[in-house]
Amino acid sequence: MDKRTILLLVLEAAVACGSGQPNVLLLVVDDLRPVLGCYGDPVAVTPNIDALARDATVFTRAYAQQALCGPSRTSFLTSRRPDTTRLYDVHSYWRRHAGNFTTLPQYFRDHGYHTVSAGKIFHPGIVSNHSDDQPYSWSEAPYHPPTQAHKQDPVCLGSDGSLHTNIYCPVQVEEQPGGSLPDIQTTRHSIAWLREWAGRAPQPSQPPPQQPNPTATQQPNPTATQQPFFLAVGFHKPHIPLKFPKQFLDLYPIQSVPLAPNRGLPPGLPPVAWNPWNDLRWREDIAALNVSFPYGPMPDEYARYIRQGYYAATSYTDSLIGDLLTTLDHLFPDTIVAFIGDHGTGGGPKQTLLRHTLALPGHTQTLPTATLMPPRQALPPFLPVQGHQIPAGYHSTHRTPVTHNILQMITPQLEQVVNLCHKTLPRRVQQGGGWSTVVLVELVDLFPTLVDLAGLPALPSCPKDSRQVKVCTEGMSLTHLMHPRQGEGSKGTPNSDTRHGNSNKKTNSWDVMINELLINTAKPSQANEVSWSEEIRLLTETNINHRDHIAGEFKLWSKKTKPETRLKQQKSTKILLEVQKPLNLPQGTEKRAAFSQYPRPGATPSQHPDSDQPHTRDTTVMGYSIRTDRFRYTAWLRFDNKTYRPDWNSMIAEELYDHKIDPSEDHNVAGKWLYRGQKKAVYSMLVRGWRRAGKHS
């Protein structure tokens, strides 16, 4: 259940307002995964985010608590986990449903900040009381772009000359309803607000500053206001549909867009963990492909277009972020900046195209066409004509980098990301002007971290039952991790230049590389007594009977195991001795585990009820996942949607992945006798929960 997300925070912001507290800008990007240059993706063109990340402390393992917009945003904006907010869908408001919990912007407002929202911050609708949590969180009425009302309109022009409701939707902006797109309107509104705020309450005794740029319309005024601001700006893209200015396609010629290397259903994946991407199937372009339910793979030809569209939509958002940050740097250069993706999305590996999944995509073997692929049509006539010009200079000109230290985390469900254990990689590695760390962090840590950076009163830790507690955190502040400890870390390359390293290996962040760290899953040595492929085969053979496994009885071999197979397993055991060692989890000021969860209406994929986004009243199974330095373990349990409690004695399925030898999660080893000790250890940590996984546990 890897739910990785991105977060950037300026750490050392000078005080720019008379109150003695720094301004704060929170940027939230919907469904953003790390297809970014600063994360080593050689395809992505994201110069503005790369510049923001260049002087950064990079947390390469940060986890969302649920891979769905409403629950994830409610979780990190209240610093409470889904079992506390009791929000697993988008059909309830936490203040009425769970407790009157104080939000991140509300806390800043209560401590003297002027709080403002533009775009998508809270999930819209009943999740935020149809008001973006007004009147609690914001000092002004939240801004929503008018063109968002046309989100699902048939505006995607295809080569057949007709308009369609598609997933893949490059558009001509001026031809859209309202003559614009939502994120463009949100960016323009936010820039206008910053300029207006900078012009408030000028100091009469101060002469106007000289304008070095004659085209500038506004100059920074450090004494413009005595009140600090908390400005939250939310971008919709690259959330589906992938609607963006068609000029951004020129950054990614279709023949240069790589397919996911692992496009089939992985063996050993429990049916309950499968994501059948129901939210895509009703779109015209996907429906025309006649893909079978639930496992039918997306045709490679169209999967390539979807990946192209995701890259282009990400670059589109990057360009808008550059415009906004340029204005911020000019007017309020001392602002704390937080940049976060709410939970990420799938990208094609293991057929994961949406975000509603607990499995980490990465299987390399395709399944037989006869069993999964129905007779299908040619590509639908919905693809736009290629070859429009990108805005001049965008892909070659970088925005002036932010010159502050920045905290950065990575997005959810990054396929085959390098998740080395702490013994393999230094806990902190210097990256140019910033730092990279592999410690585990979670999105619930955002709230207490920003509070600490702004110098506000620290949040107390939530008690076990916090329904009556308005202000507390189920995370922890990360400020103590933002500066390298003396003697740790080594020189590295700047974050934004990762993809331009000296490695000749061809890969990208959809696959197995991050920060020039690559795991080669080919056989490691010809000298091994058992080949790498045979070793992996042995790990995936001889499943333990589930009933015996749950009862704690482990069979070394089944009765039908041949003597020669036992001999091979003994040899494999010799090679994998380290697998059998007890977990050696880091101590001190770092989390020993991260926790996530996801609901299901049943043990198998379904369309009605929707197994991707079930209503809480339909939820009968909950997947609880724990991520340690080395393992990802998920327990799929029966769930009572009246009491909001799982039944730990009713296990539907289990998943266990060893990221040291299987970073792509191709082999579920939950039923393998070699891992019985490791599984028992991570299961015990999962049952004890996040409170026992903290720095003092």
Side-chain angles (χ1 to χ4, degrees), residues 577-590:
L577 283 177
E578 188 175 357
V579 172
Q580 302 183 65
K581 295 179 181 179
L583 291 176
N584 186 9
L585 299 170
Q587 301 292 331
T589 59
E590 301 167 3

Side-chain angles (χ1 to χ4, degrees), residues 48-174:
N48 298 295
I49 297 174
D50 296 349
L52 188 62
R54 189 167 295 126
D55 295 314
T57 298
V58 180
F59 287 83
T60 58
R61 294 190 297 176
Y63 293 83
Q65 277 48 75
Q66 186 176 328
L68 185 63
C69 298
S72 179
R73 289 170 183 255
T74 299
S75 175
F76 70 70
L77 287 170
T78 61
S79 197
R80 318 272 182 128
R81 299 169 191 269
D83 275 348
T84 301
T85 65
R86 295 183 173 181
L87 181 66
Y88 314 107
D89 54 23
V90 293
H91 304 295
S92 61
Y93 180 40
W94 79 89
R95 293 190 189 272
R96 298 195 186 103
H97 189 61
N100 189 23
F101 306 145
T102 296
T103 69
L104 170 59
Q106 180 184 2
Y107 192 79
F108 274 78
R109 183 184 182 187
D110 291 346
H111 288 82
Y113 276 74
H114 187 85
T115 57
V116 182
S117 172
K120 184 178 179 181
I121 300 301
F122 288 98
H123 191 77
I126 189 57
V127 174
S128 54
N129 202 31
H130 299 283
S131 65
D132 282 329
D133 194 43
Q134 280 291 79
Y136 303 101
S137 289
W138 309 109
S139 304
E140 302 179 9
Y143 172 81
H144 287 284
T147 54
Q148 182 62 13
H150 305 286
K151 173 183 176 181
Q152 307 294 4
D153 285 6
V155 297
C156 312
L157 180 63
S159 57
D160 61 349
S162 301
L163 297 178
H164 304 277
T165 303
N166 294 345
I167 287 296
Y168 181 83
C169 190
V171 298
Q172 191 70 33
V173 173
E174 59 271 17

Side-chain angles (χ1 to χ4, degrees), residues 621-679:
V621 177
M622 187 69 71
Y624 288 93
S625 187
I626 183 172
R627 181 65 172 90
T628 69
D629 268 337
R630 178 169 173 175
F631 295 97
R632 194 265 284 184
Y633 172 78
T634 301
W636 293 95
L637 307 168
R638 289 293 179 189
F639 185 79
D640 189 329
N641 56 35
K642 304 297 183 183
T643 63
Y644 307 99
R645 291 182 178 179
D647 183 355
W648 289 95
N649 295 316
S650 182
M651 186 85 70
I652 301 299
E654 292 180 293
E655 297 176 77
L656 178 67
Y657 300 96
D658 183 352
H659 285 203
K660 186 171 185 180
I661 65 171
D662 182 24
S664 60
E665 297 195 351
D666 289 334
H667 301 282
N668 178 11
V669 297
K672 312 309 171 187
W673 67 270
L674 283 173
Y675 285 90
R676 62 192 185 277
Q678 282 70 29
K679 189 180 68 172

Side-chain angles (χ1 to χ4, degrees), residues 324-335:
L324 179 59
L325 291 180
T326 296
T327 300
L328 183 77
D329 291 347
H330 180 64
L331 298 176
F332 301 100
D334 305 307
T335 301

Side-chain angles (χ1 to χ4, degrees), residues 78-319:
T78 61
S79 197
R80 318 272 182 128
R81 299 169 191 269
D83 275 348
T84 301
T85 65
R86 295 183 173 181
L87 181 66
Y88 314 107
D89 54 23
V90 293
H91 304 295
S92 61
Y93 180 40
W94 79 89
R95 293 190 189 272
R96 298 195 186 103
H97 189 61
N100 189 23
F101 306 145
T102 296
T103 69
L104 170 59
Q106 180 184 2
Y107 192 79
F108 274 78
R109 183 184 182 187
D110 291 346
H111 288 82
Y113 276 74
H114 187 85
T115 57
V116 182
S117 172
K120 184 178 179 181
I121 300 301
F122 288 98
H123 191 77
I126 189 57
V127 174
S128 54
N129 202 31
H130 299 283
S131 65
D132 282 329
D133 194 43
Q134 280 291 79
Y136 303 101
S137 289
W138 309 109
S139 304
E140 302 179 9
Y143 172 81
H144 287 284
T147 54
Q148 182 62 13
H150 305 286
K151 173 183 176 181
Q152 307 294 4
D153 285 6
V155 297
C156 312
L157 180 63
S159 57
D160 61 349
S162 301
L163 297 178
H164 304 277
T165 303
N166 294 345
I167 287 296
Y168 181 83
C169 190
V171 298
Q172 191 70 33
V173 173
E174 59 271 17
E175 296 177 358
Q176 293 303 291
S180 188
L181 290 175
D183 289 340
I184 294 174
Q185 292 182 315
T186 294
T187 303
R188 289 175 177 171
H189 173 86
S190 301
I191 290 174
W193 187 91
L194 286 170
R195 289 173 174 168
E196 190 272 336
W197 185 262
R200 293 186 183 184
Q203 187 84 4
S205 60
Q206 296 265 345
Q210 296 181 352
Q211 293 190 1
N213 181 1
T215 63
T217 59
Q218 182 72 52
Q219 288 295 316
N221 185 356
T223 58
T225 178
Q226 299 297 306
Q227 186 180 22
F229 66 77
F230 180 102
L231 172 62
V233 181
F235 297 89
H236 289 86
K237 299 307 164 189
H239 189 288
I240 60 171
L242 299 172
K243 187 188 303 181
F244 54 88
K246 59 186 178 181
Q247 291 86 350
F248 284 89
L249 288 175
D250 280 351
L251 294 175
Y252 306 101
I254 190 63
Q255 65 274 10
S256 70
V257 178
L259 284 170
N262 311 313
R263 300 188 293 282
L265 176 68
L269 183 73
V272 68
W274 182 254
N275 161 34
W277 30 280
N278 289 330
D279 200 19
L280 266 68
R281 293 177 181 271
W282 66 270
R283 319 282 175 156
E284 290 184 58
D285 51 349
I286 305 301
L289 298 172
N290 192 29
V291 177
S292 64
F293 182 88
Y295 301 114
M298 178 75 66
D300 285 352
E301 304 97 312
Y302 211 71
R304 194 186 302 274
Y305 277 101
I306 291 178
R307 288 164 68 86
Q308 180 201 38
Y310 190 91
Y311 272 116
T314 301
S315 290
Y316 159 56
T317 297
D318 176 85
S319 70

Side-chain angles (χ1 to χ4, degrees), residues 281-596:
R281 293 177 181 271
W282 66 270
R283 319 282 175 156
E284 290 184 58
D285 51 349
I286 305 301
L289 298 172
N290 192 29
V291 177
S292 64
F293 182 88
Y295 301 114
M298 178 75 66
D300 285 352
E301 304 97 312
Y302 211 71
R304 194 186 302 274
Y305 277 101
I306 291 178
R307 288 164 68 86
Q308 180 201 38
Y310 190 91
Y311 272 116
T314 301
S315 290
Y316 159 56
T317 297
D318 176 85
S319 70
L320 298 176
I321 288 172
D323 292 341
L324 179 59
L325 291 180
T326 296
T327 300
L328 183 77
D329 291 347
H330 180 64
L331 298 176
F332 301 100
D334 305 307
T335 301
I336 293 175
V337 180
F339 176 93
I340 187 170
D342 60 353
H343 54 74
T345 188
K350 295 183 182 173
Q351 292 297 311
T352 53
L353 298 169
L354 289 176
R355 67 266 194 202
H356 323 296
T357 179
L358 299 186
L360 181 66
H363 187 54
T364 57
Q365 180 180 356
T366 57
L367 293 179
T369 302
T371 58
L372 290 182
M373 180 76 79
R376 54 184 172 86
Q377 306 170 3
L379 289 179
F382 301 153
L383 299 179
V385 178
Q386 306 280 314
H388 301 280
Q389 293 298 314
I390 197 69
Y394 168 70
H395 60 284
S396 59
T397 304
H398 286 56
R399 187 184 65 85
T400 303
V402 178
T403 57
H404 305 290
N405 293 328
I406 301 167
L407 162 70
Q408 184 160 352
M409 303 178 194
I410 197 168
T411 69
Q413 296 178 289
L414 170 61
E415 296 88 340
Q416 297 181 315
V417 68
V418 176
N419 292 316
L420 299 181
C421 63
H422 66 286
K423 291 183 178 179
T424 308
L425 187 67
R427 301 303 280 174
R428 291 177 176 81
V429 179
Q430 188 171 357
Q431 303 273 18
W435 294 83
S436 176
T437 177
V438 296
V439 299
L440 296 161
V441 293
E442 302 171 284
L443 287 196
V444 287
D445 301 331
L446 170 67
F447 190 162
T449 301
L450 277 176
V451 165
D452 279 3
L453 291 176
L456 303 182
L459 303 181
S461 183
C462 291
K464 188 173 182 179
D465 184 355
S466 63
R467 286 175 293 179
Q468 302 302 319
V469 181
K470 290 185 177 181
V471 180
C472 66
T473 177
E474 293 184 350
M476 60 183 286
S477 174
L478 304 177
T479 53
H480 64 287
L481 298 173
M482 294 177 184
H483 298 280
R485 285 176 277 182
Q486 187 174 0
E488 290 195 40
S490 59
K491 288 288 182 178
T493 56
N495 295 339
S496 58
D497 297 329
T498 299
R499 58 181 172 172
H500 305 300
N502 296 325
S503 174
N504 293 322
K505 291 177 168 38
K506 294 182 179 180
T507 185
N508 57 51
S509 66
W510 298 87
D511 308 327
V512 294
M513 193 210 308
I514 179 170
N515 289 338
E516 294 184 312
L517 207 55
L518 179 67
I519 284 184
N520 185 354
T521 54
K523 54 187 178 182
S525 172
Q526 295 290 345
N528 284 348
E529 296 181 67
V530 181
S531 70
W532 180 249
S533 59
E534 177 71 0
E535 182 178 319
I536 292 298
R537 186 184 69 80
L538 289 171
L539 285 174
T540 57
E541 286 184 348
T542 318
N543 278 309
I544 299 171
N545 180 276
H546 184 69
R547 181 176 57 189
D548 293 337
H549 163 64
I550 296 302
E553 300 175 7
F554 296 92
K555 298 179 179 179
L556 202 57
W557 295 288
S558 65
K559 293 181 179 180
K560 297 181 180 180
T561 304
K562 297 179 180 180
E564 56 269 26
T565 302
R566 297 188 183 188
L567 178 61
K568 288 181 179 180
Q569 289 177 340
Q570 288 173 330
K571 291 182 178 181
S572 179
T573 303
K574 183 177 180 180
I575 294 171
L576 300 176
L577 283 177
E578 188 175 357
V579 172
Q580 302 183 65
K581 295 179 181 179
L583 291 176
N584 186 9
L585 299 170
Q587 301 292 331
T589 59
E590 301 167 3
K591 290 187 178 184
R592 299 187 297 156
F595 298 82
S596 303

